[in-house]
Structure formats: structure tokens, C-alpha cells
Amino acid sequence: MISSAPVHEIAVDTVSRWESFFQRTEYMQKVREIADLYPELSSIIVDFQAIDHVDSDLAEQLLDHPDACLAAGREAICNLMHQDMRHASIALRVTRLPRDARVRIRDLRGRHIGRLVAFPALVTRSVQPKHNIIIGAFQCARCGQVVMEQMRDRAFQEPLECYKDQDGCGRTSSSTKFRLISERSSTEDVQKIECQEPLDDLVGGASPARMTVWLSGELAGTVSAGARVIVNGIMRTVRGNGKSAVLDAEVDAISIEQQSQRFTDIEITPEEEAEFEKASKDPQIFDHLVSSIAPAIKGYENEKAGLLLQLFGGVPKQLDDGSRRRGDIHILLVGDPGVAKSQLLEYMSHLAPHGVYASGKSSSGVGLTCAATRDADWGEGQWTLQAGAMVQANGGNLFVDELDKMTAEDRSAMHEGLESQRITVHKAGLDATLPTECSLAAAANPKYGRFEDTEELAAQIDLPDTLQSRFDLIYMMRDKPNLKVDRDIASHILQAHRRGGALLNRYEVGMDAVMEDTAEIAPTYSMDWLRKYIAWSKRVIPVMTTTAAKLIEDQYVTIRATGQGQDSSVPITARQLEGYVRLSEAMARARHSKAVEPRDAKLAIDLCEYALQRVSGSGESRDVDRIMSGTSKKDRSKILLILEIIRSAGRQGISRTEVSEVAHERHRIEEHETATVLTRLLERGEIMYRDMNKGIVAVV
Ligand code: ADP
Ligand code: MG
């Protein structure tokens, strides 16, 4: 509440300090702008650091006595403007409070009352902005005169009497009645939001502390549930309900800083840029990046590569007709218990600047979407929406563990959220559409809790097909005893523990040797470096080269073609094709390349192939193909090889006999096999006759 803050003694000294501050800084220009544009422009945002730099005493006053100090600042602004604007209602906002004004919500105490505080918060609820009366106009029922009454602390206050000094009759409120005339009252917009401590600040299983925050003036309506902000405000107390003497705390925000929620908000210095530029030229860059992901987790290079590419992301596109193509890559990890699924997701959620980690089985009540709630003392008895994980993750990355354990309601919401990037809520008479644009990485256990060899592995993913098909990559992680692998993992885990111990006792003798010994656990790049590199590289919008596009097309066509003629086959759909595109774009970004080159497409295809193979459960690609299309790998590669022969002949085409000869010579493919493949390719329209009589075929 800026303009209706309690009236304090305004020290003349403080006013002149403010005046000189404005005059000595670029903020004077802002003051002039307000003078010109008032009331359209009525607020001024000042950087605390600037005040501290010019007049540290003033800065200190501001922290200790914000109400009086800001009132003085407003007066100073009015003084500096034209004479006729003396009573203009100006909002003076201060941002970027110093570190020592930072408090966690849970640490707010009595000593903070009336002081300026700053805390990071996650907005969990917001009620629609309303109008708060600052100065009420009241008409006296006896004499008809309209008198003004100033409101305090958002509490409604009728005039005590029909003020004589406002030409009223002087009757007290007990001998007359007052009627509020809202059109003549002056109001400001206010919005009440509920904030919660950001989850990454939580220790152990502590439940996050909450705080009610009031936004006023142009701040009202700027913050919605799910936003991550730093609230700069003045802590106030309000009396709870009933006779209790216990005070509740609330905060009047004087400014809100949107937190860098996205990669795009991360600032990168020119020096860092130069460093990244150099790193991106390293032919090994992708391997280095992957090996820096969760170094404490042994192996899983492919899974890590997929998760890394998810952060780079594909390019979201809007086509000429206005239709959209998502750039988000979704990943599913299905696996036995104890294979580090949760660990991987957790690591990634820390790496992602706006990562939200949720568990499918969490019983928070808010769930993935949102909950409509109604408390007696919240929103004046009206229903409010509380943002769930998916809404909070909007614009970032969502990590859902134990996906298989989520409720049916969450499941269908997730469906909708992933597909249309928003969810519609009809709860308690509230209709809301909430944005849920995010990349999802989820982990789940298989149907029986652990993979069984007796049943096809793909059939053990206990999720509806429609949801499954949203995932660009599905990894199967099995925990099967294997002497070599077990030893590697065991030694790795032990090394991680040794190194962890050494890091805690780093100044003791002998620790250097341990550090050196366990260097494998140290990432090539730090988390911070990675995050910045990704942010930097995400600025590139890579465009597919024709050769890369061709490669993907071939892969797609080949897999589709193999599905033909099999009754129960499930060939890949255009959805997976788009998955290839997204992954290759992400791969190009990892190299900071403006062009998606064949090697990017190749790697994307390999990643998909790997994920699919794991779906099969064994290294045998045969199973993969059965799952994908019902055709064996041998058949598929034949189709690919034959298609390649025809393609290399170019536009003018090649005769069927020649194809047959080359196929036999080069790849030992029998004549009748080639004939079958050719027929299939012709049927599918992948190739056509250039000259039917001479049997010359060419790619379309
Ligand atoms: P899940 O979620 O798959 O059930 P967790 O992520 O909870 O498994 O992992 C169980 C424990 O085993 C964790 O402490 C994890 O660090 C460890 N672990 C499992 N596999 C590996 C691995 N390959 N490398 C390092 N640690 C591992
Ligand atoms: Mg787990």
C-alpha cells in the first residue's frame, strides 16, 4: 500500500535528501516524464543501489523506516514537479534491495515489522485485483454535504462527524448517517497474493512457510500463480479473527522483481560469451556436456544426453497459417527401483533455471494442475486457485517422479497440458485457463514394480498409449546383475562418497590425494557453467539443412515402410517425426550452430534408436522393430539400402534390374527380396516409375 501508507512525520531533512538524490541522478528525467504524462504515468521505480551510492544515510533510513522515508520521497517528487501537481498521487517504488535485507519467509520476525524486507517467493495463489478506497467520499444524510475521509490499512472508516472544516454541518456520526459515494471516492487497484518459500530453499521435509502479500496500484494484476518473484515490501501486522491478541503478518509490496525463470533471463558477460564460443567449437563439446551431467551417477550416457537435449530444446514455431509446433522435448524414464531415476530427475531440476520437481504420488492436494480452495480469511470467502506443479513449471521444465502413481485426474490433466500447453479448470464455479508450456521429464516404475522377463517390456509401461506417445524419448532402465557393470557402479558410488567426505574435510592432511583419486566424479563443467552455456546457446534458432531434413525423412519413411503389410503393426507416427526434428535442433544448439546439419540429425536418430532398443529390453534390434513396426531390422535396413541405391541415381532414375544387381553385389540382397521391397516402396509412394516400360524407378 504505497499511497495510503500510514501518515508519518515527514522529516524535512529527508525530503530534501530525496530532492537532491533525484537531481543528482538520471531519475530526474523520470520525474519530468511523470510531470508531463501524469496521471497516465504515476510511478517511479528506483534502484536501491543507486540511492545507496548517492546517499547511504537515506538508504539506511529507507530500510529502517520505509513508510516515512517513502512518503518523504513522494513529497520530494511533487516538489520537483510543477506547482499544480502538489497533490498528485505518485507511487515511489524501490527495487533491488541489498542482500542484508533478504530474509526467508520463515525467518520473518517481530523485529521486521514496519521495516523493508525482501524475500524470494513462489506465488501460489492470486485473487483478482479489486479496488481499494483510499479517500472515501461520504454524503451526510442530514445536510447533504459530501465530506472526505482517509482510509488506513485497507480498513473501512466512516467519518466521525460531518466535518465543519469541509463545509459540513458538524453532526457526529451518532446523529447522522453517511452514505459512501464510490464515484467520488478515490481508489486504487489492490491484489492479494499468497507467496510460499521457493522449494529449493527448503531443508529436509519442512513444509514451506507462507506469506500474504498485497500489491497495489499498477503492481496489481501483474503477478499470477506460479510466478517466481522477489517481493520487496514492508512487513505489517494484522489482527487475526476474534479476540486473539496474536498478530498475523502481511507484506505490502513496494516492488516485485520477476525472478530469472527462464534461460532467456540469464545474464551472460562478453567474457563468458567468448569462453562459450571457444568451447562450442570443440568437436567433443557434446560429450563434455553430457559427462558433466550428474557426474555422481555412473553410466546412462544416453539418458543423460536426452535429458541435456531437453534443456536445449527444439525450436517452437509458428507457421504462416498461425498453427504452432512445440519445441519442448518430453522424456520418460521407466525402470526398476534403485536405478537412479529419481536422482537424475532431481539433478536436472536443479540444473534447469526454472525446474519444478513433483511427485506423482504427492498428496499435497494441489496436484499437478491446480486446486480451488476457499479459506474463511482468504479472498473474502471466494474461491481462489492454487497453482499446481504443471502451472508452476510454465515456461520451464517439469520433472515428475513416480508418474505411474498419479491420480486419474492428474493423468488426464497432464494429457491436456502436454498437448495444448494449457489446461482448463472448471472447479467450484471458477473457469480458468492456465498456461502449462513446459518440457516434461518423468520417471515411472513398470507395471509390476520391476521389469519381468516373461512379458514384453514395452507392454509393462503402465501408462495409456495416448500419454506415452507424447514422449519423444522413452528410456527403459533395468537393474540386472552384471559383474562388470555392478563393479563399476559400486566403485563409482564409493568414489562419490569418498569425494564427498573429502570435500567436507578439505583442509585436512591427505585430502588432496582423495580429491585426485576421485577426480572422475568432478564434472568437466560446473552446474553454473552448464546453465549459462545452455542459456547462451538457446539464443540460436537453428534451421534444418536440406541434407539433415532428408536424413530424417528417410529414417521416418523407412520405419513407416517396414510397417506395411503387417496387420498388428504400429508404425511410428508423424509425432515421432517431429521428435526427431526437435532433438536434432537441440543437438545443433548444443554446438551453438545456426544450421541443423546431418550430424545433428544422425545423433538425434541414434538417440531415438537407442531409446527404442531399450524399450525392447534386449540389445537385439529385432525386438525394436517389432515394437515399432512389426518388421525385422533386417528387412528395414534392406529397405533403407535399396532406397539409397535409387536415390543415388538421382532424378533420371534407375532400372529395376540395375537396382537388383547393385543390391546383390553390394549388400547380398536376393533378387526376390529386392522385388518385394520395390513393390512396397512403389505402393507407399516413396518411389515412382520414371519410365514404366523400361522399368525405371526414381525417388519421388
Ligand atoms: P529410483 O528412483 O530409480 O528408484 P534412486 O534415484 O532413488 O532410484 O537411486 C537409488 C540410489 O542408488 C541412489 O542413492 C543412487 O545414487 C544410487 N544409484 C543407483 N544407480 C546408480 C548409478 N548408476 N550410479 C550412481 N549411483 C547410483
Ligand atoms: Mg525413485
Side-chain angles (χ1 to χ4, degrees), residues 294-300 335-345 357 401-402 443-445 477 485 488-490 492-493 496-497:
I297 297 170
K298 175 81 180 172
Y300 299 127
D336 293 336
V339 291
K341 299 183 298 296
S342 303
Q343 289 266 321
L344 272 173
L345 289 192
Y357 186 93
D401 206 353
E402 321 256 6
N445 284 48
M477 298 157 81
V485 177
D488 282 353
I489 292 181
H492 198 88
I493 293 177
H497 280 271

Side-chain angles (χ1 to χ4, degrees), residues 380-400:
E380 289 75 42
Q382 63 170 296
W383 290 90
T384 55
L385 289 179
Q386 228 173 328
M390 231 179 161
V391 179
Q392 289 177 22
N394 181 43
N397 292 74
L398 175 63
F399 299 88
V400 180

Side-chain angles (χ1 to χ4, degrees), residues 134-426:
I134 307 169
I135 299 170
F138 292 89
Q139 187 167 39
C140 171
R142 300 295 285 270
C143 71
Q145 180 60 22
V146 175
V147 295
M148 300 298 185
E149 179 73 30
Q150 168 115 33
M151 307 288 157
R152 302 272 149 76
D153 301 334
R154 290 179 290 274
F156 187 74
Q157 172 70 54
E158 273 198 9
L160 299 172
E161 54 180 58
C162 186
Y163 301 116
K164 276 201 172 131
D165 59 357
Q166 291 188 35
D167 303 329
C169 59
R171 285 188 182 85
T172 61
S173 55
S174 53
S175 51
T176 181
K177 280 202 162 65
F178 291 103
R179 186 171 65 89
L180 178 76
I181 306 175
S182 44
E183 312 82 77
R184 291 183 58 185
S185 304
S186 70
T187 61
E188 68 171 355
D189 296 334
V190 284
Q191 186 186 22
K192 187 178 177 180
I193 59 172
E194 186 187 59
C195 292
Q196 176 188 300
E197 282 180 317
L199 297 176
D200 21 306
D201 284 1
L202 287 186
V203 240
S207 69
R210 296 172 187 282
M211 179 61 71
T212 300
V213 174
W214 289 90
L215 307 176
S216 57
E218 86 279 1
L219 284 186
T222 55
V223 180
S224 49
R228 285 167 185 221
V229 295
I230 290 177
V231 177
N232 301 312
I234 305 166
M235 184 161 139
R236 308 218 183 277
T237 49
V238 282
R239 249 194 53 208
N241 292 333
K243 291 212 156 102
S244 170
V246 178
L247 298 174
D248 280 336
E250 287 182 352
V251 167
D252 276 344
I254 61 161
S255 66
I256 294 283
E257 293 167 48
Q258 300 276 347
Q259 279 280 67
S260 67
Q261 334 196 341
R262 295 163 189 257
F263 277 110
T264 42
D265 299 328
I266 294 178
E267 283 174 26
I268 296 156
T269 64
E271 294 78 48
E272 286 168 332
E273 246 175 74
E275 192 189 329
F276 295 152
E277 188 75 51
K278 192 158 154 265
S280 71
K281 296 283 174 291
D282 184 339
Q284 301 274 294
I285 178 70
F286 192 65
D287 293 341
H288 290 328
L289 292 174
V290 171
S291 68
S292 304
I293 299 280
I297 297 170
K298 175 81 180 172
Y300 299 127
E301 281 79 14
N302 281 286
E303 286 79 357
K304 289 178 183 177
L307 290 166
L308 174 68
L309 287 184
Q310 180 179 49
L311 295 192
F312 282 104
V315 180
K317 305 170 188 85
Q318 183 155 21
L319 303 184
D320 306 306
D321 63 358
S323 66
R324 292 168 171 280
R325 297 286 179 274
R326 74 171 151 101
D328 299 321
I329 294 166
H330 304 313
I331 295 179
L332 176 63
L333 311 174
V334 186
D336 293 336
V339 291
K341 299 183 298 296
S342 303
Q343 289 266 321
L344 272 173
L345 289 192
E346 216 175 293
Y347 178 91
M348 295 311 290
S349 73
H350 287 299
L351 181 56
H354 181 176
V356 175
Y357 186 93
S359 176
K361 72 171 177 202
S362 85
S363 49
S364 69
V366 180
L368 287 175
T369 56
C370 71
T373 42
R374 181 160 67 171
D375 313 354
D377 60 331
W378 236 91
E380 289 75 42
Q382 63 170 296
W383 290 90
T384 55
L385 289 179
Q386 228 173 328
M390 231 179 161
V391 179
Q392 289 177 22
N394 181 43
N397 292 74
L398 175 63
F399 299 88
V400 180
D401 206 353
E402 321 256 6
L403 185 73
D404 46 328
K405 315 259 184 331
M406 70 186 171
T407 62
E409 188 195 356
D410 273 348
R411 184 168 295 185
S412 75
M414 171 158 282
H415 226 129
E416 187 194 347
L418 286 185
E419 198 47 27
S420 53
Q421 308 199 314
R422 74 178 87 95
I423 46 172
T424 45
V425 187
H426 311 283

Side-chain angles (χ1 to χ4, degrees), residues 45-101:
I45 303 172
V46 180
D47 190 330
F48 184 88
Q49 315 299 327
I51 306 173
D52 199 27
H53 187 70
V54 173
D55 185 344
S56 58
D57 285 346
L58 183 62
E60 204 165 306
Q61 261 193 52
L62 188 58
L63 289 179
D64 295 342
H65 309 287
D67 284 316
C69 191
L70 287 170
R74 283 192 297 272
E75 189 165 316
I77 296 170
C78 291
N79 290 348
L80 292 168
M81 298 197 306
H82 315 298
Q83 283 304 311
D84 58 339
M85 299 195 51
R86 285 257 136 151
H87 300 290
S89 138
I90 307 289
L92 173 57
R93 308 193 177 282
V94 179
T95 61
R96 303 226 300 150
L97 297 192
R99 280 259 145 206
D100 47 357

